[in-house]
Structures are given as C-alpha cells and as structure tokens.
C-alpha cells in the first residue's frame, strides 16, 4: 500500500511491541498511505529519518498505545525531534478493533490503523510526562510492591512450616510479627526454647 499523503497533517500511528513495530501513515481524510514495520531498536533510526522526511511536507503527529515501557525510547526520540506524541488508551483500541472493519481479529497492521482512526476521531490525548515527584512516588510504590510480595510469599511458607512443627506458637504471637521472627531466629524452634534456662 503506497499512496500519496494528501492534506497538511500526517498521523503516524504506531503499534508498539517488544521488537517488531508497525506504523500507519495516515492523511487528514483517514486514508492510509502506507504501513511500515521495523525492528526496534536496530531500525528505529531509519524510521525516525522517514518521520523527518514527512515533517518537511506535513504537520506530523505521532500516536502510540502505552504498551508497558517498550515505546518509551521511541516516544522520547519523537518528542526530541519536535513531533507531538499522543496516547491512545489500550482498552479503547481493543474495543474499536471490531468496529473498525467488522472483524474481531487483531494483528499489528490493523492495530496501527485503529490507533490512527481513534486519533483522527479526537479520542487520544497529548502524552505529557509526569512530574518528578509523581514519578518518584510511583517508583516507591513499585519498590514496596516488589518487596512486599516477596515477603508475603516467604511469610506464608513460614506459617505452613510452623503449623506442622510448632502450631501453638500462633496462639501466642502474631504471625509475621517482629517478636515471632526474633524468637525463631534466636531459638529455632520449640526444642530450643525448652532447652534454654529461664
């Protein structure tokens, strides 16, 4: 599919993946001039060169789905080159898939086309960067979740072992408490406590 882009605006709608990216180049009328694909990051420079050539003749807007963090480097490069980047909601894109062509199938080229249609219909938003404070807060929450989940898994294992070897301990100490962990670290089990003189 190779058509000339008409009008002053070109939408570059990008389907982000881990490696194989697709982009639909769409004019003001919603006509897809071309669908391109490239391997990221090896061929991303060539894709950005293509976007640069489009900018010489059109007002270029890029639109992406927030697919994990795989598109972050491309987003930064596009913005650095002066291309505004818009965000299409993942749920919107999936819901619009069947409406787009009456078929519930999903593939990368179609995904890029659906993202373009959502953008031309005004259903996307300019993708702004979070403030440093908000980013820091999200990092702290992610870090807490990482350690909390690991702690939770180990604590459940410990409770199961205690139910087998020292079931009465949970009647006196709250499971996962510092007191219980300190007692286990110091004495190891009920025999260690029994053998320790008062």
């Amino acid at each position: 599919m190779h058509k000339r882009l008409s009008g002053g605006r070109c939408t570059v709608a990008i389907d982000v993946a881990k490696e194989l990216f697709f982009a639909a180049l769409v004019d003001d009328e919603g006509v897809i001039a071309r669908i391109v694909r490239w391997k990221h990051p090896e061929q991303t420079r060539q894709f950005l060169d293509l976007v640069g050539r489009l900018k010489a003749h059109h007002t270029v807007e890029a639109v992406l789905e927030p697919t994990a963090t795989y598109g972050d480097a491309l987003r930064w490069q596009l913005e650095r080159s002066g291309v505004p980047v818009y965000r299409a909601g993942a749920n919107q894109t999936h819901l619009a898939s069947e409406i787009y062509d009456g078929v519930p199938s999903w593939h990368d080229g179609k995904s890029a086309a659906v993202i373009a249609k959502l953008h031309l219909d005004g259903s996307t938003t300019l993708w702004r960067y979070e403030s440093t404070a908000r980013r820091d807060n999200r990092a702290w929450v992610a870090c807490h979740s990482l350690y909390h989940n690991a702690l939770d898994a180990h604590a459940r294992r410990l409770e199961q072992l205690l139910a087998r070897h020292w079931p009465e301990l949970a009647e006196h100490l709250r499971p996962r408490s510092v007191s219980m962990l300190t007692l286990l670290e110091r004495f190891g089990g009920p025999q260690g406590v029994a053998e320790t003189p008062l």
Side-chain angles (χ1 to χ4, degrees), residues 31-65:
V31 176
I32 299 172
R34 182 180 296 185
I35 291 184
V36 296
R37 70 176 182 174
W38 74 99
K39 191 171 182 184
H40 178 75
E42 291 92 335
Q43 298 173 315
T44 297
R45 173 51 51 201
Q46 293 166 282
F47 172 73
L48 291 167
D49 289 344
L50 170 64
V51 172
R53 290 194 300 275
L54 289 170
K55 277 181 63 185
H57 305 285
H58 304 278
T59 300
V60 177
E61 296 175 348
V63 56
L64 295 80
E65 258 188 326

Side-chain angles (χ1 to χ4, degrees), residues 123-138:
S123 299
T124 60
T125 55
L126 191 62
W127 201 343
R128 301 187 187 282
Y129 283 97
E130 294 179 329
S131 67
T132 302
R134 185 169 172 80
R135 264 199 328 269
D136 287 348
N137 287 340
R138 285 168 58 89

Side-chain angles (χ1 to χ4, degrees), residues 21-188:
F21 285 36
F22 282 77
L25 311 181
V26 183
D27 67 16
D28 282 334
E29 304 299 318
V31 176
I32 299 172
R34 182 180 296 185
I35 291 184
V36 296
R37 70 176 182 174
W38 74 99
K39 191 171 182 184
H40 178 75
E42 291 92 335
Q43 298 173 315
T44 297
R45 173 51 51 201
Q46 293 166 282
F47 172 73
L48 291 167
D49 289 344
L50 170 64
V51 172
R53 290 194 300 275
L54 289 170
K55 277 181 63 185
H57 305 285
H58 304 278
T59 300
V60 177
E61 296 175 348
V63 56
L64 295 80
E65 258 188 326
T67 309
T69 56
Y70 294 120
D72 286 1
L74 177 61
R75 175 187 167 200
W76 180 81
Q77 289 172 314
L78 286 166
E79 289 181 340
R80 186 171 174 237
S81 69
V83 175
V85 178
Y86 291 79
R87 175 182 176 142
N91 289 339
Q92 274 183 309
T93 308
H94 286 286
L95 290 172
S97 174
E98 189 168 356
I99 296 168
Y100 178 75
D101 60 3
V103 180
S105 67
W106 194 251
H107 54 83
D108 299 315
K110 178 179 175 180
S111 175
V114 170
I115 290 169
K117 177 161 178 31
L118 287 170
H119 182 64
L120 291 172
D121 289 345
S123 299
T124 60
T125 55
L126 191 62
W127 201 343
R128 301 187 187 282
Y129 283 97
E130 294 179 329
S131 67
T132 302
R134 185 169 172 80
R135 264 199 328 269
D136 287 348
N137 287 340
R138 285 168 58 89
W140 280 113
V141 169
C143 190
H144 175 268
S145 295
L146 176 70
Y147 290 112
H148 178 76
N149 292 343
L151 176 65
D152 200 45
H154 290 305
R156 280 196 303 274
R157 272 192 216 97
L158 179 60
E159 286 174 15
Q160 291 168 1
L161 289 170
L162 286 171
R164 174 187 289 165
H165 298 289
W166 200 355
E168 63 275 16
L169 182 62
E171 295 177 17
H172 304 286
L173 291 175
R174 187 172 54 84
R176 307 179 192 201
S177 68
V178 173
S179 297
M180 177 183 279
L181 295 175
T182 303
L183 180 71
L184 290 171
E185 182 183 20
R186 182 168 179 187
F187 298 105

